[in-house]
Amino acid sequence: MSASPPTAPAAPLLSITGLTKVYGAGEAAVHALRGIDLELLRGEVVVLLGPSGSGKSTLLNILGGLDAATAGSVRFVGSATADAHTDICTLSPTDLTQYRRERVGFVFQFYNLIPSLTARENIEVVAELSPGALGADEVLALVGLGPRADHFPSELSGGEQQRVAIARALVKRPPLMLCDEPTGALDLNTGILTLQALLDANRRFGTTLLIVTHNADIARIADRVIHFADGSIRSITVNPERLDPAQLHW
Ligand SMILES: Nc1ncnc2c1ncn2[C@@H]1O[C@H](COP(=O)(O)OP(=O)(O)OP(=O)(O)O)[C@@H](O)[C@H]1O
Ligand SMILES: [Mg+2]
């Protein structure tokens, strides 16, 4: 994949149909997703809002190939490769690993960096697995952390660790970044820097962003806001324009 300007946001990237997830069985069954139908577009920024336990992380984990659906399908429709229309819910474990490597970048609330590796090394371990990856120093510079490349996670603030985690997700230039409460552990100013790093990736590479948050203010940086409740999409709002994260207050 080459660095290209964001594609017109009308082109679909991911098509989700009837996605259902039930944990457990019988009386103990938890219906985490109750038939989700959703299309994510290339280059769009989508914020997913909803109460605790409504299924947001479950959806992200299935889209990212970290968890298996009970029913339904998830198809990458925006790709020119031969497997473009493969339902990721039917992939073998090997193909699913490849899918995760090539298509998806994950950003979690608590960064999940390897403590014994420096910022640069945390990124290099991912880059080594991905042909065509960017350079570790290049992505660290993109998130404004070039001078911190040789620092260990314990020598970085929470906001800096999160930007290393974004750089790690970004290094393979995935078409889709799944961010589960990326600012959940950060204060306003570091949260803004984190969101700016994500939006920068969106602008430079046309990366589609799906961002889970509890913070309704953050929804204003998105093209579309999905309101989730009890495993279902309750409504979708389209923002007339994206707000720059610097204009947020929370
Ligand atoms: N591995 C699991 N086994 C059983 N139940 C689970 C599992 N993971 C999640 N659940 C249940 O599925 C439902 C949805 O959980 P999920 O983590 O997706 O919610 P969430 O919207 O991300 O919540 P939060 O905002 O608190 O992170 C919850 O009722 C949760 O208890
Ligand atoms: Mg969650």
Side-chain angles (χ1 to χ4, degrees):
M1 198 167 42
S2 63
S4 55
T7 338
L13 178 74
L14 206 66
S15 179
I16 302 160
T17 313
L19 198 66
T20 304
K21 178 67 181 182
V22 184
Y23 290 108
E27 294 214 340
V30 176
H31 293 263
L33 297 179
R34 298 174 184 270
I36 303 294
D37 297 313
L38 179 67
E39 202 162 64
L40 295 180
L41 306 178
R42 273 188 179 267
E44 83 170 331
V45 178
V46 177
V47 160
L48 185 53
L49 281 176
S52 184
S54 58
K56 305 180 300 295
S57 296
T58 302
L59 176 64
L60 255 63
N61 290 342
I62 294 173
L63 299 185
L66 296 177
D67 197 357
T70 307
S73 68
V74 177
R75 291 172 205 279
F76 242 93
V77 292
S79 159
T81 57
D83 65 340
H85 291 83
T86 306
D87 177 1
I88 67 159
C89 300
T90 63
L91 291 179
S92 68
T94 313
D95 288 341
L96 203 55
T97 301
Q98 193 179 355
Y99 165 80
R100 278 196 300 268
R101 258 181 216 165
E102 293 179 0
R103 305 284 177 88
V104 194
F106 262 103
V107 178
F108 300 98
Q109 181 175 359
F110 294 111
Y111 333 130
N112 294 8
L113 300 175
I114 301 171
S116 58
L117 300 181
T118 64
R120 182 190 289 112
E121 290 164 349
N122 263 283
I123 295 166
E124 282 171 348
V125 290
V126 172
E128 280 163 11
L129 296 171
S130 307
L134 299 166
D137 287 321
E138 189 181 351
V139 280
L140 277 170
L142 278 179
V143 298
L145 286 177
R148 300 302 191 101
D150 295 315
H151 288 237
F152 290 97
S154 62
E155 300 170 334
L156 298 168
S157 73
E160 288 166 346
Q161 289 181 63
Q162 190 60 301
R163 279 186 284 149
V164 174
I166 290 170
R168 178 184 57 184
L170 195 56
V171 74
K172 50 192 180 174
R173 274 185 293 177
L176 176 64
M177 295 223 330
L178 301 169
C179 311
D180 201 346
E181 302 193 39
T183 63
L186 304 175
D187 66 18
L188 174 63
N189 286 329
T190 46
I192 287 171
L193 286 175
T194 300
L195 293 172
Q196 281 173 329
L198 287 170
L199 291 178
D200 210 32
N202 165 266
R203 272 189 300 270
R204 275 171 197 263
F205 304 118
T207 315
T208 300
L209 300 178
L210 181 56
I211 304 172
V212 167
T213 177
H214 279 116
N215 186 336
D217 281 333
I218 289 178
R220 300 169 71 199
I221 68 164
D223 296 303
R224 284 195 298 162
V225 188
I226 299 173
H227 300 267
F228 228 66
D230 192 24
S232 303
I233 295 176
R234 286 299 148 89
S235 63
I236 299 183
T237 324
V238 177
N239 284 334
E241 60 178 9
R242 292 187 198 171
L243 201 69
D244 186 281
Q247 294 172 265
L248 292 175
H249 313 276
W250 73 73

